[in-house]
């Protein structure tokens, strides 16, 4: 069995923003109310001509550059998203085309906000078994096109962005970087708590579906909060126990950037100080599958994450899905 390691990361956040002051003009809300409940001051908005694969392209190029690889070195692309360019072809194939990564296999992965953690876990299996050597894992979303700006419970949260990581086979015996373990869960019994129903086989897009606003994200915020904290705490604790590692041995925890209250509550359940939790939500909002990837890259690029550190990723999303991944960088 081979060891997996992350050798390059990248992210992209659109320049255009939807600020809290902008939302005050659209819906009954205000800056103080939003900040107190979510920690978000602005969320990013993709340019009209950009789709999800375009944001992913920008992030992926940065990750490949950091990894000192070209797109032709890739054996696989795993693309986590719930806002694909099209129903078909897959967004991973669109990204493959734009990268000119002609020699790899590509597929989409749908696990909502847990998608990037799921994607890294899948990549680890292909690397460990020797089936693949270099895998690009992407989390990217253009959620602002699925947000109902008359619903203050959801429109204050979601934004657009992309993050990427190159997972590679570690054949250097002097390099201790590796993936320790991943712990994934799902609970379809709670699927109605967070939905985006229009466009599938059950609710194809019709005038009636649009009138019912089923083409927008709908969420039971209170229940999502409760289950998110429980799920991320559970899979994070399991990762520590499975590897006999204490919180003292963890340099950074990178949770899904849903809102600061969920992040703080999860840290409290784990008994972790917020000093070792990466929080990057203020200026980007909840970008679903991209949040963990973006936060990871930001922490790498500003020097918080260093070689040899133990990093714990944890996420929660619609489905309901959840998962953790513990690795040495």
């Amino acid at each position: 069995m081979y060891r997996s390691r992350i050798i390059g990361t990248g992210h992209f956040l659109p320049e255009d923003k939807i600020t809290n002051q902008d939302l005050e003009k659209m819906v009954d809300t205000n800056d103080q109310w939003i900040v107190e409940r979510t920690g978000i001051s602005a969320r990013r908005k993709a340019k009209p001509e950009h789709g999800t694969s375009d944001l992913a392209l920008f992030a992926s190029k940065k990750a490949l550059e950091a990894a000192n690889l070209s797109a032709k070195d890739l054996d696989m692309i795993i693309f986590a998203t719930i806002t694909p360019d099209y129903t078909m072809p897959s967004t991973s194939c669109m990204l493959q085309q734009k990268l000119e990564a002609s020699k790899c296999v590509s597929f989409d992965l749908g696990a909502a906000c847990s998608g990037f953690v799921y994607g890294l876990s899948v990549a680890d299996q292909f690397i460990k078994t020797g089936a693949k050597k270099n895998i690009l894992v992407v989390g990217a979303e253009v959620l602002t096109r699925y947000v109902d700006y008359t619903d203050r419970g959801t429109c204050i949260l979601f934004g657009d962005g992309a993050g990427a990581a190159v997972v590679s086979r570690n054949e250097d015996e002097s390099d201790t970087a590796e993936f320790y373990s991943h712990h994934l869960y799902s609970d379809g019994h709670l699927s109605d708590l967070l939905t985006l129903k229009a466009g599938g086989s059950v609710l194809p897009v019709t005038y009636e579906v649009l009138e019912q606003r089923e083409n927008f994200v709908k969420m039971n915020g209170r229940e999502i909060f409760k289950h998110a904290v429980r799920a991320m705490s559970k899979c994070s604790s399991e990762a520590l126990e499975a590897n006999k590692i204490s919180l003292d041995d963890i340099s950074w925890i990178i949770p899904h950037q849903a809102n600061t209250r969920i992040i703080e509550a999860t840290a409290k359940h784990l008994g972790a100080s917020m000093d070792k939790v990466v929080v990057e939500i203020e200026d980007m909002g909840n970008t679903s599958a991209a949040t963990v990837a973006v936060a990871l890259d930001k922490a790498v690029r500003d020097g918080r994450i260093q070689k040899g550190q133990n990093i714990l990723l944890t996420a929660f999303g619609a489905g309901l899905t959840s998962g953790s991944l513990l690795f040495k960088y």
Side-chain angles (χ1 to χ4, degrees), residues 8 10 17-18 25 151 155 217 224 252 266 278 296 298 320 328:
K17 298 180 182 180
I18 301 173
K25 302 171 186 177
D151 177 8
C155 73
V217 173
I224 284 293
W252 294 102
T266 301
V278 175
L296 171 63
K298 283 194 168 190
L320 298 176
K328 178 173 284 190

Side-chain angles (χ1 to χ4, degrees), residues 31-50:
D31 176 66
Q32 181 180 355
W33 188 88
I34 297 171
V35 172
E36 287 178 354
R37 284 159 180 78
T38 70
I40 301 170
S41 295
R43 59 292 297 146
R44 302 305 179 99
K45 183 179 181 180
K47 293 184 181 299
E49 65 269 24
H50 284 163

Side-chain angles (χ1 to χ4, degrees), residues 18-65:
I18 301 173
T19 66
N20 291 350
Q21 288 71 31
D22 292 329
L23 291 176
E24 288 176 352
K25 302 171 186 177
M26 303 180 195
V27 69
D28 182 18
T29 192
N30 61 73
D31 176 66
Q32 181 180 355
W33 188 88
I34 297 171
V35 172
E36 287 178 354
R37 284 159 180 78
T38 70
I40 301 170
S41 295
R43 59 292 297 146
R44 302 305 179 99
K45 183 179 181 180
K47 293 184 181 299
E49 65 269 24
H50 284 163
T52 301
S53 66
D54 294 306
L55 274 58
L57 176 65
F58 303 139
S60 298
K61 285 184 174 180
K62 292 179 181 178
L64 287 166
E65 181 182 5

Side-chain angles (χ1 to χ4, degrees), residues 66-123:
N68 197 27
L69 295 178
S70 74
K72 291 180 173 59
D73 295 315
L74 294 174
D75 302 310
M76 176 178 285
I77 297 172
I78 302 173
F79 198 128
T81 187
I82 54 168
T83 57
D85 286 7
Y86 312 105
T87 301
M88 65 176 183
S90 69
T91 313
S92 61
C93 285
M94 299 303 298
L95 176 61
Q96 179 188 21
Q97 177 196 58
K98 292 172 182 180
L99 282 172
E100 298 183 1
S102 56
K103 297 179 181 179
C104 70
V105 61
S106 306
F107 60 89
D108 289 3
L109 188 156
C113 304
S114 304
F116 184 69
V117 173
Y118 269 53
L120 291 176
S121 302
V122 174

Side-chain angles (χ1 to χ4, degrees), residues 63-230:
L64 287 166
E65 181 182 5
N68 197 27
L69 295 178
S70 74
K72 291 180 173 59
D73 295 315
L74 294 174
D75 302 310
M76 176 178 285
I77 297 172
I78 302 173
F79 198 128
T81 187
I82 54 168
T83 57
D85 286 7
Y86 312 105
T87 301
M88 65 176 183
S90 69
T91 313
S92 61
C93 285
M94 299 303 298
L95 176 61
Q96 179 188 21
Q97 177 196 58
K98 292 172 182 180
L99 282 172
E100 298 183 1
S102 56
K103 297 179 181 179
C104 70
V105 61
S106 306
F107 60 89
D108 289 3
L109 188 156
C113 304
S114 304
F116 184 69
V117 173
Y118 269 53
L120 291 176
S121 302
V122 174
D124 184 43
Q125 305 303 314
F126 280 98
I127 297 292
K128 280 185 174 177
T129 58
K132 304 295 180 185
K133 187 173 182 180
N134 297 309
I135 301 177
L136 177 67
V137 181
V138 179
E141 308 285 7
V142 179
L143 276 162
T144 55
R145 293 169 194 168
Y146 301 90
V147 171
D148 183 352
Y149 288 98
T150 67
D151 177 8
R152 74 171 186 172
T154 57
C155 73
I156 64 174
L157 297 173
F158 298 106
D160 306 335
V166 178
V167 183
S168 186
R169 185 189 303 171
N170 189 352
E171 298 177 304
D172 184 353
E173 294 183 2
S174 66
D175 188 342
T176 59
E178 65 176 310
F179 283 19
Y180 293 123
S181 67
H182 25 82
H183 307 270
L184 309 179
Y185 294 95
S186 60
D187 188 351
H189 293 94
L190 299 172
S191 59
D192 285 343
L193 295 181
L194 181 52
T195 61
L196 175 54
K197 293 183 175 180
S201 60
V202 174
L203 282 179
V205 177
T206 62
Y207 287 115
E208 183 180 7
V209 167
L210 295 177
E211 286 175 357
Q212 294 170 350
R213 307 184 79 77
E214 294 291 355
N215 56 313
F216 295 125
V217 173
K218 295 187 178 183
M219 180 179 68
N220 182 328
R222 182 169 296 182
E223 287 298 307
I224 284 293
F225 184 105
K226 179 174 65 178
H227 289 289
V229 173
R230 288 177 181 173

